[in-house]
Amino acid sequence: MVSITNLLKEPRHSQFIKKLIPWTIYALLPIALFRLYFHPVHLPDSPIHRTPQIIASSSSSSSSSSSSSSSSLSPPHFSPSSVHEEEEEVNAINETPCDYTDGQWVPDKLGPLYNGSTCGTIKDAQNCLAHGRSDLGYLYWRWKPHKCSLPRFDPSKFFHLMTNKHIAFIGDSMARNQLESLLCILASVSTPELVYTSGEDNKFRRWNFPSHNLTVSVYWSPFLVDGIEKSNAGPNHNELFLHRVNEKWAVDLDGFNLVVFSIGHWYLHPAVYYEGDDSIMGCHYCPGLNHTEIGFYDALRKGLRTTFEAVIDRRGSSSSNELGIFLATFSPSHFEGEWDKAGACPKTKPYKESEKKLEGMDAEIRAIEVEEVEEAKGRAKQSGGLRIAALDVTKVSLLRPDGHPGPYMHPFPYGNGGVGERVQNDCVHWCLPGPVDTWNEILLQIMNSWEQQSGL
Ligand SMILES: *[C@@H]1O[C@H](CO)[C@@H](O)[C@H](O)[C@H]1NC(C)=O
Ligand SMILES: *[C@@H]1O[C@H](CO)[C@@H](O)[C@H](O)[C@H]1NC(C)=O
Ligand SMILES: *[C@@H]1O[C@H](CO)[C@@H](O)[C@H](O)[C@H]1NC(C)=O
């Protein structure tokens, strides 16, 4: 393997070097760990839910209802917070759109939106409570934007907006993480049925909530564009075809009303990039292959550009459905030490805003994503019934080093061998319940604002 210093010997310019360093570290993460982190779940096909069925009323749709109805859905020992109600009044008066990215985590006595031990759709490796995580402080925080409020997720509001509609999460394991959060939140009031599953490790799954005929899907597509994933059997680097989208999801585009794209981490790993007539554009960390090293930032940008272009082009002529597209921005990881040493992400509290700045690779990836969304928004204007937005969760997530499974990706990691044993840590994904639930709260608020403007 070529060392970092060897790579740095042939700089093209200093800017390039600055970009090279962070992702080289990612490139060196062992492949075994990589596969654990970024591959989808094994889940039982059925039954997926054991929660008691309480059908939510779909009529309580006014924004003022969210505080009262969400509190009635909470476990009985939680009491509604009057703070939420005051903030909502402020929001109603303030007509400027809320900047949900500008905020901080504040203590919240209400706690999680659902009971992780009774929601059947959490991947084991993210079911931290079930795996024996005993510090529970990470469950009692909520995101507080500085200039507005973020209401607690109101499942009945979501069902109301999405009755007879289809939401698809498309991307890598962060897409799955967010999907599983949404399913658990919704399942706290209405039971979904798993109606479709396919692919190794259930890469493609679909549920229907009969109470509202809401369909929820997840599509495994870690590049969004076409690609070949690295594997033990195939190439030991990814191969990306940056000029064409992955048809696994694209063929179903007409059936979606809402899409959440969520990618990023798979772009950090060794890859060869193709463009045009499948000619090689360059590579990222491919020693021995004699291709030009081009890093992954341009590839990510091109992949996103191709994706949005495909969505806009295909919508242009055919569909009558309204379609909303979100791109969830990059979710930073929080490794502080070696990935296989106890306590690789040991923090038990969020960062304060002043403690952690968004910078380096996390900031760069987010910037590319936000720019590509803005670019696509401009082009989408000609295409009727299509909306595009960033679900900007990078800062929200950056400030939550305490929300990862860490060693609790394994059941009771300290149960037998005791502390000090080398154990893999997941400081990339999020415990469920956990910070990723807030992503869905922000998603719902943007959906809500769209509906108030002109219908979803
Ligand atoms: C979650 O559900 C389990 C099983 O019903 C119960 O024992 C536990 O107390 C619940 N946890 C919370 C936080 O309500
Ligand atoms: C259920 O929703 C789908 C769209 O997701 C729609 O095509 C279908 O007609 C709906 N079924 C009923 C019975 O309304
Ligand atoms: C590497 O590529 C260059 C330029 O395409 C070519 O001149 C050279 O022969 C190649 N080297 C190997 C070992 O293939």
Side-chain angles (χ1 to χ4, degrees):
M1 216 180 225
V2 174
S3 71
I4 295 174
T5 38
N6 277 347
L7 269 175
L8 296 182
K9 269 182 191 155
E10 295 173 310
R12 297 166 92 194
H13 48 81
S14 62
Q15 180 66 19
F16 186 71
I17 290 297
K18 267 167 66 189
K19 290 180 176 184
L20 193 69
I21 292 164
W23 50 248
T24 303
I25 292 161
Y26 269 87
L28 296 171
L29 269 180
I31 189 161
L33 176 70
F34 166 82
R35 287 185 65 79
L36 265 170
Y37 277 175
F38 299 111
H39 271 67
V41 228
H42 293 278
L43 273 177
D45 284 357
S46 68
I48 50 169
H49 283 284
R50 294 177 294 278
T51 42
Q53 181 158 343
I54 311 158
I55 304 298
S57 156
S58 63
S59 62
S60 56
S61 62
S62 76
S63 62
S64 63
S65 74
S66 64
S67 179
S68 56
S69 57
S70 65
S71 64
S72 70
L73 301 168
S74 303
H77 61 280
F78 292 134
S79 60
S81 153
S82 60
V83 177
H84 284 201
E85 284 161 24
E86 283 162 26
E87 281 166 358
E88 268 167 35
E89 281 169 30
V90 173
N91 261 11
I93 297 160
N94 184 358
E95 293 294 322
T96 58
C98 179
D99 180 2
Y100 295 105
T101 64
D102 181 29
Q104 63 183 336
W105 289 95
V106 297
D108 176 33
K109 64 180 188 305
L110 287 180
L113 290 157
Y114 53 91
N115 184 334
S117 65
T118 52
C119 173
T121 23
I122 301 174
K123 178 177 157 65
D124 286 345
Q126 276 116 52
N127 204 337
C128 301
L129 292 175
H131 279 183
R133 181 169 175 176
S134 57
D135 66 298
L136 301 182
Y138 73 98
L139 296 170
Y140 295 88
W141 298 90
R142 73 184 166 91
W143 180 251
K144 172 68 184 81
H146 290 309
K147 300 204 175 98
C148 48
S149 76
L150 177 61
R152 202 169 156 84
F153 194 105
D154 177 0
S156 64
K157 179 79 204 171
F158 189 89
F159 279 123
H160 171 75
L161 291 174
M162 292 298 290
T163 297
N164 292 321
K165 290 184 178 171
H166 186 172
I167 177 171
F169 290 84
I170 303 172
D172 58 20
S173 53
M174 299 310 302
R176 186 199 63 226
N177 213 181
Q178 185 181 355
L179 157 96
E180 291 185 355
S181 159
L182 181 68
L183 275 181
C184 288
I185 294 171
L186 298 178
S188 69
V189 299
S190 179
T191 304
E193 288 169 8
L194 182 66
V195 294
Y196 175 79
T197 175
S198 145
E200 178 207 348
D201 295 331
N202 293 324
K203 283 178 172 166
F204 305 90
R205 286 175 289 162
R206 179 166 296 165
W207 293 261
N208 187 267
F209 288 82
S211 61
H212 298 83
N213 186 29
L214 161 66
T215 303
V216 181
S217 297
V218 62
Y219 288 75
W220 177 255
S221 184
F223 316 117
L224 295 182
V225 291
D226 211 2
I228 300 167
E229 293 154 32
K230 68 178 186 176
S231 67
N232 293 334
N236 63 1
H237 55 265
N238 296 320
E239 296 194 344
L240 275 71
F241 303 93
L242 295 170
H243 55 287
R244 58 173 194 250
V245 288
N246 181 356
E247 291 298 331
K248 286 274 198 274
W249 60 264
V251 289
D252 291 343
L253 195 59
D254 275 346
F256 304 143
N257 302 97
L258 206 61
V259 170
V260 179
F261 289 128
S262 190
I263 57 161
H265 290 272
W266 274 74
Y267 273 85
L268 310 183
H269 290 275
V272 174
Y273 303 119
Y274 297 82
E275 62 179 348
D277 304 316
D278 287 354
S279 63
I280 291 177
M281 182 183 156
C283 79
H284 163 48
Y285 200 76
C286 63
L289 287 182
N290 199 24
H291 305 315
T292 310
E293 168 68 55
I294 58 170
F296 73 84
Y297 290 120
D298 289 345
L300 175 64
R301 189 184 289 284
K302 195 166 191 332
L304 289 171
R305 185 80 53 107
T306 298
T307 299
F308 285 126
E309 275 172 5
V311 169
I312 293 165
D313 287 354
R314 294 185 192 201
R315 297 287 302 182
S317 47
S318 58
S319 182
S320 54
N321 275 357
E322 299 270 313
L323 175 63
I325 302 275
F326 288 91
L327 176 65
T329 62
F330 192 63
S331 177
S333 63
H334 291 95
F335 290 98
E336 292 182 22
E338 291 175 51
W339 59 275
D340 63 346
K341 276 240 181 86
C345 40
K347 295 215 160 46
T348 54
K349 280 167 114 176
Y351 285 119
K352 295 195 186 77
E353 232 188 329
S354 55
E355 251 179 303
K356 188 79 179 170
K357 290 277 166 274
L358 180 56
E359 58 191 6
M361 184 189 75
D362 297 334
E364 187 97 19
I365 296 177
R366 175 192 166 274
I368 290 168
E369 291 169 334
V370 170
E371 282 162 26
E372 287 307 309
V373 165
E374 288 307 314
E375 160 84 25
K377 269 186 197 168
R379 276 180 284 123
K381 283 203 180 104
Q382 291 95 301
S383 174
L386 177 63
R387 288 186 203 250
I388 299 177
L391 181 61
D392 192 349
V393 294
T394 302
K395 183 179 165 191
V396 170
S397 307
L398 178 74
L399 298 181
R400 290 308 303 272
D402 56 327
H404 300 289
Y408 296 99
M409 65 183 288
H410 308 285
F412 300 92
Y414 304 126
N416 304 321
V419 183
E421 192 188 0
R422 290 188 94 82
V423 58
Q424 287 172 342
N425 281 261
D426 180 355
C427 305
V428 178
H429 299 107
W430 303 101
C431 292
L432 295 178
V436 70
D437 299 329
T438 300
W439 300 13
N440 284 318
E441 291 185 323
I442 297 172
L443 176 76
L444 177 54
Q445 288 315 300
I446 301 174
M447 289 164 62
N448 205 12
S449 71
W450 283 358
E451 198 228 13
Q452 280 165 11
Q453 285 160 29
S454 67
L456 193 62

